[in-house]
Amino acid sequence: MDLFIRDVDPHAVKKIDEWAKKKKMSRQVYLKEFIEKATMLEMISNADDSFEKQLQVNTLFLEKTSDSLDGLVDILKELMIDDD
């Protein structure tokens, strides 16, 4: 897909050209990679946020499960003592 941008400040274009030259790229290739990387960073950031939320949910679930298991162990210990 093509993308055209008009009326960009000449100083900005000059700076972009300098960055592209440092990477031995054309302006077009530099900007294409820049735009594609920017969108990837957003997707990665969103995925990271989702992962963090899921990690919090999982941690809470594991804590509750651990508490339940501790309670069951206590009950089993009491039952074993009663059998003696």
Side-chain angles (χ1 to χ4, degrees):
M1 174 175 272
D2 292 336
L3 176 70
F4 300 97
I5 302 173
R6 293 184 174 85
D7 300 322
V8 178
D9 182 285
H11 297 289
V13 173
K14 183 178 178 183
K15 193 66 176 172
I16 290 167
D17 287 344
E18 289 173 10
W19 293 334
K21 185 177 180 180
K22 284 181 185 176
K23 294 189 175 250
K24 298 179 182 176
M25 299 175 160
S26 68
R27 179 193 306 154
Q28 189 273 333
V29 170
Y30 180 82
L31 288 172
K32 178 183 177 289
E33 287 187 10
F34 183 86
I35 291 168
E36 290 172 350
K37 285 178 184 176
T39 58
M40 290 298 291
L41 286 174
E42 182 181 356
M43 290 188 316
I44 290 169
S45 177
N46 291 341
D48 191 47
D49 290 344
S50 295
F51 176 75
E52 184 64 34
K53 288 176 187 174
Q54 188 61 51
L55 185 60
Q56 290 172 355
V57 168
N58 291 354
T59 300
L60 182 60
F61 177 76
L62 286 172
E63 288 171 352
K64 288 182 177 184
T65 301
S66 176
D67 291 343
S68 295
L69 287 173
D70 288 343
L72 289 172
V73 166
D74 290 341
I75 291 170
L76 286 173
K77 285 180 181 177
E78 288 178 23
L79 290 172
M80 291 174 67
I81 292 173
D82 290 344
D83 285 345
D84 288 341

